[in-house]
Amino acid sequence: MTIRSITPFLWFNTEAEDAANFYVSLFPNAKIMNVSRYGDAGPAQKGSAMVVGFEIAGQRLVALNGGPNFRLDEAFSLLVDCTEQEDIDRLWSALGEGGSYSVCGWLKDRFGLSWQINYAGLPDLISGANGGKVMAAIMGMTKVDIQALKDAGAGSQT
């Protein structure tokens, strides 16, 4: 068996192209790879985007304008591992605008896609000697605070 790749395939109603353009605007070296458009055969309006291939941080994704039959939900999310608080702050604000925020760095963007904007060092902190304190700290956060997580991992109070 030969498997070329595994690519997340995201279903949108009509917003696939807008969503992909928004996502690639937020990440360095991200790009739209291709756009396929509906033709005369439909089922959507001729010329509208059908499938948009794009790449973020080396990860290929595909967005489909498939109509209203299915919706994105929290059962699928994109995890962004950040090493700097500035990146967490920027992505949290940009992706969350018009969407909704949850706990532990999770948010849903205005297109309905769920994201986890998180600290790349979190797995090490959680598996450390003060992992319980780190877990308690992150459970009390919406936007992730790297310094507070490090402080919890060092044993100090958050």
Side-chain angles (χ1 to χ4, degrees):
M1 175 169 68
T2 302
I3 298 173
R4 184 171 173 211
S5 65
I6 297 175
T7 304
F9 197 90
L10 310 171
W11 184 297
F12 295 88
N13 183 7
T14 61
E15 312 87 1
E17 190 168 23
D18 289 340
N21 282 323
F22 175 60
Y23 302 148
V24 300
S25 77
L26 298 177
F27 294 89
N29 303 315
K31 58 187 171 187
I32 300 292
M33 306 294 287
N34 54 60
V35 180
S36 300
R37 301 201 177 273
Y38 284 104
D40 291 326
Q45 181 179 1
K46 182 180 180 179
S48 65
M50 178 175 56
V51 175
V52 181
F54 60 107
E55 186 176 283
I56 299 173
Q59 174 65 56
R60 293 185 143 212
L61 299 105
V62 175
L64 166 73
N65 278 331
N69 296 335
F70 300 104
R71 294 275 181 217
L72 296 165
D73 67 29
E74 292 81 359
F76 176 85
S77 63
L78 296 177
L79 171 62
V80 182
D81 284 326
C82 299
T83 58
E84 304 296 326
Q85 187 67 46
E86 300 83 45
D87 291 326
I88 289 174
D89 295 345
R90 181 181 61 80
L91 292 170
W92 183 261
S93 295
L95 287 166
E97 185 176 344
S100 60
Y101 298 103
S102 189
V103 297
C104 304
W106 287 64
L107 64 86
K108 185 179 276 199
D109 70 30
R110 67 181 184 248
F111 301 105
L113 182 59
S114 292
W115 296 79
Q116 297 178 60
I117 309 303
N118 222 312
Y119 172 48
L122 183 62
D124 290 336
L125 289 175
I126 288 177
S127 64
N130 290 311
K133 290 181 180 182
V134 174
M135 194 66 189
I138 198 161
M139 293 301 292
M141 297 178 185
T142 50
K143 180 177 73 173
V144 169
D145 179 334
I146 294 174
Q147 190 59 54
L149 292 173
K150 287 179 177 180
D151 289 347
S156 64
Q157 297 298 319
T158 58

